[in-house]
Amino acid sequence: MRLEDYFIQFTKELAYLDLKEEAQKKWGIGPLPMPIRVQDFLGGIQEGQLDREIDYSYFVKGMIWNLGIDPDFIHAKDYLDLLKRTVKEADRFALNMGLEAAAEGKSREALIAFRAAGIINPDNLSAQVHFGDLLWRIPSLSEEDQADMVHQASHIMEEALNKDDHSPLANTALGQINEGMGHFSKATAYYQRALEWAEDPEVKEEVRRALERIEPETEIESALYFMRRADYGQAVDILSKLGQKTRRYDVFYYLGLSYQNMSAYDLAAGAFQEALDRGGDFEDLYNGWVYALTAWGKRDQALAAANKGLDHYPSALRLRYNRAILLFLAGKKDKAMEDINELLSYDDLSDEFFNEIMSLREEIFQ
């Protein structure tokens, strides 16, 4: 979703008034339709504040909203010039509108004001950062639109950091964005920069908690990076240290895969067993455990592991195939054929897997 498409839907929340000639002269305004927020207009009427004349502040807020909602509006340039001429630090005024709205939990109103502040003064980094930080949190969007907003918010924040990389808010927000996207190493880098430049003790403590929260994910992400590069020794070093600090089963699953790729099958089997003991329960974990035990020469243990896995996942085809091999090697041909026939009852086998099954079948019948 484009930003323009999101904000333009709020044009219905603006009304336009034609001012009398004396009001135009009083405020130095030409024959220009002036925007006013519908909420202010209705509230002013209800409270009797608009009986005689409308205070100029109503139009200031209206012009700010008009710029935030539709910066390409036909009179947008006139409003921008008028704000700069009649309001001291108009961008700061808009920024404060946004901060007040955010404090009241009115995120949509805050977004409009923050966007306007950045339009009034593109060098207002605070407005840019607050806008980007709130943009990616917009609720009630589709998954696709939410992803678009996260991408745009990230781009806005990175642009702000290009101007001032010391911003704790921008670095923290980018840390949160990347954490939400599952990019934990990048999130850690941004959090560390935020911690370095933050002065507020509460902000520092919040960032420290974030770093502690994502430390396991960051370490696992780093280990997976080394695994993809086939640097399994480095992965083992990272995961072994992490395993001493966390009860997470996935740490030991990846540790098992690393040991397996190093042909350290005894250590791999132990790691897979630890992952199971710590609550891991998925098909690939059982497959890894069976393979490692088999490669280590522990066929009886591997068969027991395969039985356990199939008790949990009876439709795990690769696990059933591996059990068929183990049963055949144990001299239990009839039991092996039961597994083979079960596998051949599936009509969606890949050609490669079908050929493996038929080769095993032929070997059993020899």
Side-chain angles (χ1 to χ4, degrees), residues 219 222-224 226-227 231-240 254-255 258:
E219 293 296 291
S222 179
L224 290 174
F226 287 111
M227 289 173 69
D231 189 348
Y232 300 110
Q234 188 69 30
V236 163
D237 184 57
I238 294 170
L239 293 166
S240 296
Y254 292 125
L255 187 59
S258 298

Side-chain angles (χ1 to χ4, degrees), residues 161-354:
L161 285 182
N162 286 336
K163 299 174 184 177
D164 177 15
D165 63 357
H166 294 181
S167 170
L169 179 59
N171 279 296
T172 300
L174 278 166
Q176 292 170 338
I177 289 173
N178 280 281
E179 180 183 347
M181 296 171 67
H183 302 159
F184 298 109
S185 295
K186 287 186 68 175
T188 295
Y190 283 120
Y191 283 140
Q192 288 173 338
R193 288 171 61 179
L195 187 62
E196 179 181 358
W197 297 110
E199 297 180 356
D200 188 325
E202 291 185 6
V203 173
K204 283 181 172 289
E205 183 57 29
E206 179 185 349
V207 174
R208 287 192 188 98
R209 287 197 298 268
L211 284 168
E212 291 175 3
R213 182 178 62 246
I214 68 170
E215 181 183 7
E217 282 79 6
T218 304
E219 293 296 291
I220 289 173
E221 187 177 274
S222 179
L224 290 174
Y225 166 77
F226 287 111
M227 289 173 69
R228 286 192 294 270
R229 297 186 60 182
D231 189 348
Y232 300 110
Q234 188 69 30
V236 163
D237 184 57
I238 294 170
L239 293 166
S240 296
K241 291 176 181 176
L242 182 59
Q244 297 173 10
K245 298 185 289 184
T246 179
R247 294 287 302 170
R248 290 176 51 156
Y249 64 79
D250 54 346
V251 173
F252 290 89
Y253 171 65
Y254 292 125
L255 187 59
L257 290 180
S258 298
Y259 280 135
Q260 186 171 283
N261 280 286
M262 296 169 69
S263 299
Y265 299 114
D266 55 338
L267 296 176
F272 289 133
Q273 175 71 67
E274 186 70 24
L276 286 161
D277 292 343
R278 295 191 179 211
D281 185 13
F282 53 96
E283 183 178 331
D284 285 345
L285 175 54
Y286 287 106
N287 271 322
W289 189 30
V290 170
Y291 179 85
L293 287 168
T294 303
W296 186 20
K298 305 292 184 178
R299 290 180 183 172
D300 291 342
Q301 294 179 37
L303 182 56
N307 289 333
K308 184 176 180 180
L310 286 167
D311 286 342
H312 288 252
Y313 299 96
S315 61
L317 303 188
R318 179 57 65 175
L319 193 56
R320 188 170 295 277
Y321 174 77
N322 289 334
R323 187 175 72 170
I325 294 175
L326 290 166
L327 288 167
F328 170 59
L329 293 174
K332 299 177 181 180
K333 293 185 178 182
D334 290 343
K335 289 290 185 182
M337 279 305 303
E338 288 180 13
D339 277 342
I340 293 293
N341 291 332
E342 174 69 19
L343 289 168
L344 292 174
S345 70
Y346 288 85
D347 57 7
D348 57 348
L349 302 173
S350 68
D351 291 342
E352 181 181 358
F353 192 33
F354 176 79

Side-chain angles (χ1 to χ4, degrees), residues 88-127:
K88 184 179 180 181
E89 295 184 320
D91 60 315
R92 184 167 301 216
F93 186 95
L95 176 61
N96 287 334
M97 279 179 63
L99 292 172
E100 290 174 7
E104 295 173 3
K106 301 175 181 178
S107 58
R108 177 175 53 79
E109 296 184 11
L111 266 175
I112 294 170
F114 289 147
R115 189 186 189 207
I119 291 170
I120 295 169
N121 180 8
D123 293 327
N124 189 323
L125 294 185
S126 183

Side-chain angles (χ1 to χ4, degrees), residues 57-121:
S57 64
Y58 284 91
F59 295 127
V60 170
K61 293 177 181 178
M63 288 186 287
I64 286 171
W65 263 43
N66 205 128
L67 289 172
I69 291 171
D70 185 8
D72 295 321
F73 184 67
I74 188 172
H75 296 301
K77 186 178 184 306
D78 296 319
Y79 297 152
L80 184 59
D81 292 342
L82 187 56
L83 283 169
K84 290 181 177 180
R85 181 162 52 85
T86 60
V87 180
K88 184 179 180 181
E89 295 184 320
D91 60 315
R92 184 167 301 216
F93 186 95
L95 176 61
N96 287 334
M97 279 179 63
L99 292 172
E100 290 174 7
E104 295 173 3
K106 301 175 181 178
S107 58
R108 177 175 53 79
E109 296 184 11
L111 266 175
I112 294 170
F114 289 147
R115 189 186 189 207
I119 291 170
I120 295 169
N121 180 8

Side-chain angles (χ1 to χ4, degrees), residues 111-176:
L111 266 175
I112 294 170
F114 289 147
R115 189 186 189 207
I119 291 170
I120 295 169
N121 180 8
D123 293 327
N124 189 323
L125 294 185
S126 183
Q128 190 174 351
V129 170
H130 279 292
F131 177 60
D133 184 38
L134 196 55
L135 184 63
W136 72 279
R137 306 172 191 270
I138 296 176
S140 305
L141 291 177
S142 68
E143 186 175 335
E144 182 179 355
D145 288 342
Q146 183 68 40
D148 287 343
M149 289 302 185
V150 168
H151 177 75
Q152 293 181 77
S154 180
H155 178 69
I156 290 168
M157 219 78 70
E158 287 169 354
E159 281 191 336
L161 285 182
N162 286 336
K163 299 174 184 177
D164 177 15
D165 63 357
H166 294 181
S167 170
L169 179 59
N171 279 296
T172 300
L174 278 166
Q176 292 170 338

